[in-house]
């Protein structure tokens, strides 16, 4: 680990508490909150900070997630830093307004505590909620554990608010698996965190008496297309900003973040691609297999939007085969969303890539399941269709 | 109350160049409501006619700051802006004095936006919500809303061979807002714009959220001549279909008692959407409408202290 330049405190926190802690340090101007499991604890904690006077944030306890995102849009349009958090159906209810937040180029930061979508009703982890929003124009950053959730939360503000980006950003963590598990993590002291995030200076605001603005106009055939293209430009600019922010963060904390994390990939012959908490389990499996002399590695995706095609393709290009583990189904598609992106990134390379669906509705991903995916790769004959890990059929 | 002379000198916030139909009563409502504002203003609009005619990129008819978010969430959106304002004020980052007005049509207010409106009012954001009520989804092609009157023919409640227009009476949104115990709730009509100016001034002076429901005819949807928009917006009041009243801190006050209460036919006749009600077979529809108006009117008179005896519930 690189040298740290500031002092840090070790705390035992759940993922929800860790992100609430990051939000407390950022001290945003407005927070719109609405309960949904497993995100509730995050905003409970943050509400305590508001009611105990530990932040100056104005809390809007709205009557739905649709209004949470709508109020966040209003607040951000009013030129202030706005946050919210949600899970699953809450994110689905926000769906309409997610596109408006990104279309209006409002740098809202939202914590998404991943949970399965109904129906049937299930409150446990999978990624179908955030994956449903993958085309909404939000930057998406996934976290492996509480430490990453905290670190990603602080970095999210810098990325979203950068003048070349100006896109809302969601940081995610796996519901219950991260959100409700207490882990020891290091947090920055408040002054260092605040200095890192910095002051927010909006480019346009509804509340500039010198310059009234119209936001959210009717945008027809003659301009809408160009405005969507400009949004793409924000996404194009994001990687450089994500990288720069990660470098600054590493200088501060010693913790390095990239678009992907390559684990024991140098001489690996096969690898698994994962996101979120499954990366921890997979690293353990990699270590076990390596002890047996089997050359395997793992690639964890941290940033899903913008998708790091080049970095991923480079990391995988020397392999004999790849398995992609998705905690989400795209019904009727050839595989999960991460699989399809990976296939696309690897276009033109003669490397077989296989899709595995795991962990829907919070089903545990135990090491033997990950190991079975590696075994498939080495045996050389995985089913060409989607396969499932830990499913009774 | 600001005089007409004084108002006439003010620069329009909702200015010329918007693309509303000639004779559009909601457009006159936008102008008359915002004319009563003498601070900085943020206006919000739900999706609907007034939004699409006033902010066609790269033009805007708004001299105030303006935001449109979606159909059902103007109240939540303005909640956010108003909260941002308080946050900036608290931190000493903004000196200017602002007011916040959210506009929604009846579709965006009575129906799809009711939850967002109720939430914003309950939370106590200092904003004025103005519903421009033209009694239907006019922007999307004249469909029935919960504000469409009994009997009216719309695209989704046509005057059919078997069923003659809308079968339900209007939802009483003003009363629903009174039940939110706001400092100021009023019902107005663009036909009586001075009353509206006055109510907007009162609403903006109220220390919390306020709500005004404005009858503003859509001549396309009501099937009348553009020149008759204000006439029919007035007749709604004169027949007591749409009484003008206000509720200040829970106290009802009638704003205007028509000198002569006109029969409902005076408002119905000439509106194409009610033509079928004048066929001999449907004579009972007008009678039913009149009875409903009378019952509601008497009930309002009682609430305003103009009747001693409490009348019965209006018939459904």
């Amino acid at each position: 680990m690189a040298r740290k330049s500031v002092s840090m405190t070790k705390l035992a926190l759940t993922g929800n508490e860790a992100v609430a802690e990051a939000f407390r340090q950022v001290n945003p101007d407005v927070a719109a909150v609405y309960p949904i499991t497993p995100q509730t604890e995050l905003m409970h904690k943050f509400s305590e900070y508001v009611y105990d006077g530990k932040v100056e944030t104005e809390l809007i306890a709205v009557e739905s997630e649709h209004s949470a995102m709508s109020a966040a849009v209003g607040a951000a349009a009013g030129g202030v830093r706005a946050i919210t958090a949600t899970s699953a159906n809450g994110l689905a209810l926000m769906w309409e307004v997610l596109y408006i937040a990104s279309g209006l180029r409002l740098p809202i930061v939202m914590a998404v505590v991943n949970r399965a979508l109904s129906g049937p009703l299930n409150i446990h982890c999978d990624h179908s909620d955030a994956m449903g929003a993958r085309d909404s124009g939000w930057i998406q950053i996934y976290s492996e554990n509480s430490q990453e959730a905290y670190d990603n939360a602080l970095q999210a503000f810098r990325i979203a608010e950068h003048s070349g980006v100006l896109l809302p950003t969601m940081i995610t963590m796996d519901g219950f698996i991260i959100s409700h598990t207490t882990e020891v993590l290091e947090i920055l002291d408040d002054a260092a965190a605040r200095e890192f995030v910095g002051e927010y200076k909006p480019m346009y605001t509804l509340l500039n008496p010198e310059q009234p603005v119209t936001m959210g106009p009717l945008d027809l055939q003659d301009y809408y297309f160009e405005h969507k293209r400009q949004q793409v430009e924000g996404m194009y600019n994001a990687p450089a900003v994500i990288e720069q922010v990660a470098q600054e963060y590493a200088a501060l904390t010693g913790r390095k973040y990239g678009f992907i994390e390559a684990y024991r990939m140098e001489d690996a012959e096969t690898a698994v691609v994962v996101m979120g908490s499954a990366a921890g389990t997979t690293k353990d499996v990699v270590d076990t297999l390596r002890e047996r002399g089997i050359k395997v590695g793992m690639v964890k995706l941290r940033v899903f939007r913008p998708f790091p095609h080049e970095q991923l393709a480079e990391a995988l290009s020397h392999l004999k085969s790849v398995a992609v583990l998705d905690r989400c189904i795209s019904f009727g598609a050839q595989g999960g969303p991460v699989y399809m992106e990976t296939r696309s990134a690897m276009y033109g390379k003669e490397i077989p890539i296989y899709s595995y669906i795991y962990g829907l509705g919070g089903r545990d991903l135990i090491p033997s399941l990950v190991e079975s995916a590696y075994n498939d790769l080495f045996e050389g004959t995985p089913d060409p269709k989607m396969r499932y890990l830990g499913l009774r059929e | 109350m600001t005089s007409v002379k004084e108002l006439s000198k003010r620069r329009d916030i909702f200015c010329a160049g918007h693309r509303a139909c000639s004779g559009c009563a909601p457009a006159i409502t936008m102008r008359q409501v915002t004319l009563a504002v003498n601070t900085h203003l943020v206006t919000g609009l739900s999706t609907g006619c007034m939004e699409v005619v006033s902010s066609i990129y790269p033009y805007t008819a708004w001299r105030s700051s303006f935001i449109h978010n979606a159909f059902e969430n103007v109240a939540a959106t303005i909640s956010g802006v108003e909260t941002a304002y308080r946050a900036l004020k608290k931190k000493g980052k903004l000196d200017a004095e602002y007011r916040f007005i959210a506009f929604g049509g009846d579709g965006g207010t009575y129906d799809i936006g009711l939850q967002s409106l109720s939430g914003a009012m309950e939370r106590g954001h200092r904003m004025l919500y103005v519903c421009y009520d033209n009694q239907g989804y006019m922007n999307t092609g004249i469909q029935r809303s919960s504000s469409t009157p009994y009997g009216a023919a719309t695209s989704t409640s046509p005057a059919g061979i078997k069923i003659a227009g809308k079968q339900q009476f209007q939802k009483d949104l003003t009363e629903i807002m009174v039940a939110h115990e706001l400092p100021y709730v009023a019902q107005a009509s663009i036909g009586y714009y001075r009353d509206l100016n006055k109510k907007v001034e009162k609403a903006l002076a109220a220390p919390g959220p306020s709500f005004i429901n404005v009858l503003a005819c859509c001549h396309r949807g009501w099937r009348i001549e553009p020149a008759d928009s204000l006439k029919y917006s007035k007749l709604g009041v004169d027949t007591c279909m749409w009484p003008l009243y206000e509720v200040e801190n829970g106290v009802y006050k009638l704003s205007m008692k028509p000198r002569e209460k006109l029969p409902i036919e005076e408002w119905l006749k000439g509106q194409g959407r009610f033509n079928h009600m004048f066929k001999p077979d449907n004579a009972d529809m007008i009678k039913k409408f009149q009875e409903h108006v009378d019952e509601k009117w008497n009930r309002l008179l009682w609430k305003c202290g103009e009747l001693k005896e409490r009348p019965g519930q209006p018939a459904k």
Side-chain angles (χ1 to χ4, degrees):
Chain A
M1 191 176 273
R3 233 159 56 89
K4 305 163 193 173
S5 64
V6 290
S7 68
M8 273 181 285
T9 311
K10 280 201 170 176
L11 290 176
L13 298 174
T14 65
N16 274 336
E17 288 168 343
V19 173
E21 184 66 8
F23 285 170
R24 180 190 65 72
Q25 294 182 316
V26 172
N27 189 22
D29 300 286
V30 174
V33 302
Y34 189 78
I36 186 167
T37 304
Q39 164 276 136
T40 31
E41 189 195 20
L42 199 167
M43 282 310 188
H44 290 175
K45 201 72 203 163
F46 191 77
S47 301
E48 278 175 33
Y49 296 146
V50 173
Y51 276 71
D52 290 341
K54 290 182 177 162
V55 287
E56 295 168 286
T57 309
E58 293 289 336
L59 197 70
I60 318 180
V62 285
E63 80 300 328
S64 72
E65 288 91 352
H66 193 281
S67 284
M69 189 45 61
S70 303
V73 163
V80 304
R81 206 169 245 159
I83 61 160
T84 186
T86 194
S87 295
N89 297 45
L91 185 63
L93 188 58
M94 287 180 181
W95 196 81
E96 176 191 29
V97 195
L98 292 178
Y99 283 73
I100 295 166
S102 62
L104 297 185
R105 307 299 294 273
L106 299 171
I108 297 160
V109 171
M110 169 161 65
V112 174
V113 183
N114 295 117
R115 160 182 153 179
L117 285 170
S118 294
L121 177 64
N122 180 294
I123 59 165
H124 292 280
C125 176
D126 70 39
H127 295 164
S128 50
D129 52 2
M131 281 298 149
R134 67 188 186 270
D135 291 336
S136 64
W138 284 60
I139 289 170
Q140 289 196 343
I141 304 176
Y142 287 74
S143 315
E144 180 185 329
N145 50 40
S146 297
Q147 181 73 68
E148 290 196 8
Y150 168 84
D151 294 338
N152 287 336
L154 287 182
Q155 292 176 64
F157 291 90
R158 290 282 305 278
I159 298 162
E161 294 166 5
H162 190 281
S163 61
V165 178
L166 285 178
L167 289 173
T169 299
M170 61 178 84
I171 52 142
T172 80
M173 65 174 120
D174 287 354
F176 291 106
I177 300 166
I178 302 175
S179 69
H180 284 61
T181 304
T182 303
E183 289 182 288
V184 175
L185 68 147
E186 281 188 332
I187 64 157
L188 288 162
D189 65 48
D190 288 1
R194 278 181 197 180
E195 198 190 324
F196 172 76
V197 172
E199 186 96 350
Y200 174 50
K201 293 186 189 72
M203 205 177 272
Y204 296 100
T205 158
L206 295 170
L207 297 172
N208 177 358
E210 310 300 321
Q211 188 191 14
V213 289
T214 285
M215 290 194 193
L218 178 67
D219 200 24
L220 296 173
Q221 302 94 321
D222 45 358
Y223 286 101
Y224 180 89
F225 203 171
E226 281 73 23
H227 289 143
K228 291 294 125 182
R229 174 64 184 83
Q230 288 177 344
Q231 252 178 277
V232 172
E233 200 63 17
M235 276 289 178
Y236 280 161
N237 293 340
V241 175
I242 293 169
E243 202 168 328
Q244 181 208 326
V245 170
Q247 277 173 13
E248 282 182 44
Y249 198 75
L252 204 62
T253 63
R255 290 190 292 278
K256 289 181 179 164
Y257 287 97
F259 297 89
I260 59 169
E261 181 191 341
Y263 187 75
R264 303 189 81 164
M265 286 295 290
E266 299 79 20
D267 60 343
E269 292 175 7
T270 66
V272 160
V273 177
V274 289
M275 288 201 309
S277 65
T281 310
T282 306
K283 283 173 186 172
D284 266 2
V285 174
V286 168
D287 290 346
T288 307
L289 294 175
R290 285 271 178 178
E291 278 166 25
R292 291 187 217 149
I294 307 170
K295 289 181 175 174
V296 293
M298 181 210 77
V299 173
K300 178 183 81 184
L301 273 169
R302 172 182 174 240
V303 181
F304 187 77
R305 283 288 181 270
F307 193 84
H309 296 274
E310 287 172 11
Q311 290 93 334
L312 185 66
E314 197 191 322
L316 303 177
S317 60
H318 64 287
L319 301 175
K320 289 179 181 157
S321 56
V322 176
V324 180
L325 271 54
D326 271 281
R327 202 163 200 144
C328 171
I329 281 189
S330 180
F331 296 101
Q334 284 181 292
V338 181
Y339 168 79
M340 289 189 286
E341 293 285 354
T342 306
R343 277 275 299 259
S344 176
M346 297 289 282
Y347 179 76
K349 295 184 169 58
E350 297 294 318
I351 301 169
I353 306 171
Y354 303 102
S355 178
Y356 288 83
I357 307 296
Y358 75 99
L360 298 189
R363 177 71 49 88
D364 279 337
L365 182 72
I366 54 174
S368 62
L369 293 174
V370 182
E371 200 177 324
S372 74
Y374 281 111
N375 288 340
D376 286 348
L377 293 177
F378 272 97
E379 282 159 17
T381 53
D383 193 323
K385 286 190 293 242
M386 272 197 297
R387 304 195 77 178
Y388 305 92
L389 295 176
L391 176 77
R392 293 188 301 272
E393 270 193 296
Chain B
M1 183 190 175
T2 313
S3 67
V4 177
K5 196 175 168 188
E6 194 57 40
L7 286 181
S8 71
K9 289 179 194 162
R10 284 189 186 166
R11 196 176 187 214
D12 283 330
I13 288 173
F14 183 72
C15 64
H18 63 75
R19 303 187 199 181
C21 306
S22 57
C24 171
I28 304 169
T29 306
M30 299 292 112
R31 179 172 178 263
Q32 289 295 335
V33 167
T34 52
L35 206 56
V37 183
N38 63 355
T39 57
H40 293 288
L41 173 70
V42 178
T43 310
L45 252 173
S46 68
T47 313
C49 269
M50 287 304 97
E51 189 270 326
V52 304
V53 302
S54 67
S55 72
I56 307 175
Y57 189 87
Y59 304 103
T60 182
W62 294 96
R63 286 202 179 98
S64 68
S65 268
F66 169 90
I67 184 165
H68 159 249
N69 188 338
F71 195 3
E72 68 281 56
N73 62 359
V74 64
T77 306
I78 292 297
S79 294
V81 187
E82 186 269 346
T83 307
Y85 172 67
R86 278 188 285 115
L88 291 170
K89 279 274 188 187
K90 188 168 76 177
K91 290 176 181 171
K93 290 181 176 175
L94 185 67
D95 287 331
E97 196 63 22
Y98 272 87
R99 290 290 180 272
F100 301 90
I101 300 181
F103 284 107
D106 50 288
T109 308
Y110 282 69
D111 290 349
I112 198 169
L114 185 61
Q115 173 184 316
S116 172
L117 169 63
S118 178
M121 297 289 114
E122 180 273 328
R123 292 190 299 273
H125 298 279
R126 189 172 177 184
M127 70 164 86
L128 164 60
Y129 192 106
V130 177
C131 174
Y132 69 94
D133 186 348
N134 54 24
Q135 304 187 326
Y137 291 87
M138 302 314 187
N139 186 49
T140 43
I142 315 169
Q143 295 85 14
R144 66 89 87 181
S145 77
S146 60
S147 172
T148 301
Y150 169 73
T154 70
S155 309
T156 50
S157 65
I161 296 164
K162 200 172 172 191
I163 307 169
K166 193 189 172 197
Q167 296 300 293
Q168 300 81 17
F169 288 105
Q170 283 172 272
K171 182 194 279 183
D172 195 335
L173 180 66
T174 310
E175 284 297 316
I176 292 171
M177 298 322 293
V178 171
H180 282 69
E181 299 182 342
L182 310 178
Y184 190 80
V185 176
Q187 195 159 277
S189 164
I190 193 57
Y192 291 92
Y193 69 90
R194 286 299 287 150
D195 176 69
L196 175 60
N197 292 151
K198 188 172 78 184
K199 284 171 174 165
V200 173
E201 286 188 348
K202 272 191 169 180
L204 290 174
S210 50
F211 176 85
I212 305 179
N213 203 357
V214 185
L215 183 71
C217 143
C218 168
H219 58 74
R220 296 288 306 121
W222 292 21
R223 301 294 183 212
I224 56 171
E225 289 300 315
D228 290 336
S229 283
L230 293 187
K231 177 181 146 189
Y232 278 93
S233 299
K234 272 185 180 171
L235 278 170
V237 176
D238 300 341
T239 55
C240 298
M241 185 283 300
W242 191 264
L244 305 185
Y245 68 101
E246 60 186 1
V247 184
E248 225 173 329
N249 298 314
V251 180
Y252 281 78
K253 193 183 160 199
L254 208 58
S255 311
M256 199 196 80
K257 203 171 178 178
R259 232 168 271 147
E260 183 198 356
K261 179 170 171 281
L262 298 177
I264 196 63
E265 284 97 322
E266 294 301 312
W267 182 65
L268 299 174
K269 76 180 179 194
Q271 291 192 49
R273 60 179 177 158
F274 297 120
N275 275 352
H276 56 285
M277 289 169 73
F278 289 88
K279 288 179 183 164
D281 285 357
N282 291 332
D284 61 321
M285 288 184 80
I286 294 179
K287 187 168 166 277
K288 191 173 167 184
F289 202 134
Q290 184 68 63
E291 283 168 6
H292 186 73
V293 167
D294 292 346
E295 281 173 2
K296 290 211 64 148
W297 171 244
N298 285 332
R299 203 168 169 75
L300 180 66
L301 287 177
W302 173 72
K303 284 178 183 169
C304 295
E306 310 248 345
L307 272 186
K308 286 209 177 95
E309 290 294 309
R310 181 180 175 156
Q313 287 285 343
K316 268 286 161 196

